[in-house]
Amino acid sequence: METPTGTQPGTAAARWSALMAARAVPDEILAHAPASPYRQDPERFRPVADPPDTPSRRVGVAVLAESAERTVLDVGCGAGAASLALVGEARHVVGVDPASDMLAAFVGACLEWGMPYQAVLGSWPEALPDTGTADLVLCHHVGYDTADLAAFAAGLGAAARRGVVMELHATHPQAWLDPFWQRFHGVRRPAPPTADDALAVLTELGVEPEVQRWTADPRPPEDPDARVVRVTRRLCLPPERAGEVAAALAAHDGPTAPPAERVTFSWRP
């Protein structure tokens, strides 16, 4: 199976790549970071027993209802929150993720929930030859992690037999940290990419998705100390500066979490 690659300069895809590149952590800061700012804790992405009835889930259920096989491919599966929200609807799930700890959490969740599965360690769309196709392809909250969104989205369509569901925050979920980058590093972050920029890339590919804009339910409260540790790591700061980060968060009069606004793109291949 051929892996989609490449973007053309001067296009919506090139604009997306430029926006993402402009927001990369500067090399000189990343080189001195005590831990990777990109590492995520699998515990924050575990599936829940009673998944919320979101537009993304409803579209997924509708797509699976059209197939006897009811197979799901979860791209950037994390710990399986997106695909295992379809327990009772899906009959087999393939999870692909570039992080081994996330993939291990996905496997553990599938075993716990009795979901037949396949786990693939790799990045998308490079892993496409190893995952094969599925009735439904899911991709929740991974778009802002890829610079080449055109190839990424083309791969989603190539893997889907019946439908694709792609969920994003309305704007880059780390944009709320921009004032703290200015405060601690003197780095002024450029404007973040948004779901509208992603829509422009899809349109350029010839995809005409159904677009649903909605607001997510609040997440369960995070342990305050754990949150400070996470934000400190995100800002590439050493642990001994966690107290400064906690004070900055407490004094900040703007957002201190990603936006609740979500956008669901769904389309048929």
Side-chain angles (χ1 to χ4, degrees):
M1 186 178 296
E2 184 176 352
T3 300
T5 58
T7 60
Q8 296 295 319
T11 64
R15 169 178 162 76
W16 177 275
S17 296
L19 287 169
M20 291 295 296
R23 290 185 60 82
V25 177
D27 290 342
E28 63 271 18
I29 294 177
L30 191 59
H32 293 92
S36 171
Y38 303 117
R39 184 179 68 80
Q40 298 276 13
D41 182 357
E43 289 295 328
R44 300 187 68 239
F45 302 95
R46 289 192 180 276
V48 295
D50 186 18
D53 183 28
T54 66
S56 299
R57 185 180 184 277
R58 289 196 293 270
V59 174
V61 169
V63 170
L64 289 176
E66 301 172 3
S67 169
E69 291 82 8
R70 297 190 179 189
T71 55
V72 176
L73 170 58
D74 190 351
V75 175
C77 62
S83 49
L84 291 177
L86 295 168
V87 166
E89 308 293 338
R91 294 182 176 174
H92 187 272
V93 173
V94 178
V96 55
D97 201 284
S100 59
D101 58 345
M102 287 290 188
L103 204 61
F106 166 77
V107 170
C110 287
L111 292 172
E112 179 182 350
W113 293 44
M115 173 65 75
Y117 72 93
Q118 176 189 354
V120 177
L121 181 65
S123 299
W124 192 261
E126 292 78 12
L128 178 54
D130 298 320
T131 63
T133 61
D135 294 313
L136 171 66
V137 174
L138 300 177
C139 177
H140 287 199
H141 304 289
V142 185
Y144 292 115
D145 294 331
T146 180
D148 192 350
L149 185 61
F152 189 95
L156 299 178
R161 294 196 292 267
R162 295 183 179 272
V164 178
V165 179
M166 183 178 186
E167 182 179 309
L168 294 170
H169 285 82
T171 191
H172 195 297
Q174 300 304 320
W176 72 272
L177 285 170
D178 289 359
F180 301 98
W181 281 98
Q182 175 75 29
R183 174 170 181 158
F184 287 102
H185 294 290
V187 173
R188 187 178 298 277
R189 309 301 297 276
T194 69
D196 288 334
D197 294 311
L199 178 59
V201 175
L202 295 178
T203 301
E204 192 170 77
L205 287 173
V207 173
E208 297 182 1
E210 178 184 359
V211 181
Q212 300 184 68
R213 302 177 187 271
W214 51 284
T215 301
D217 294 335
R219 293 184 65 133
E222 184 178 8
D223 176 81
D225 292 338
R227 180 169 183 266
V228 170
V229 169
R230 179 171 57 82
V231 173
T232 302
R233 184 180 69 245
R234 275 282 185 183
L235 293 171
C236 297
L237 295 171
E240 55 267 26
R241 299 193 66 181
E244 296 175 60
V245 172
L249 287 169
H252 186 57
D253 60 1
T256 56
E261 292 74 25
R262 305 283 194 271
V263 180
T264 296
F265 299 127
S266 57
W267 69 94
R268 301 294 178 134

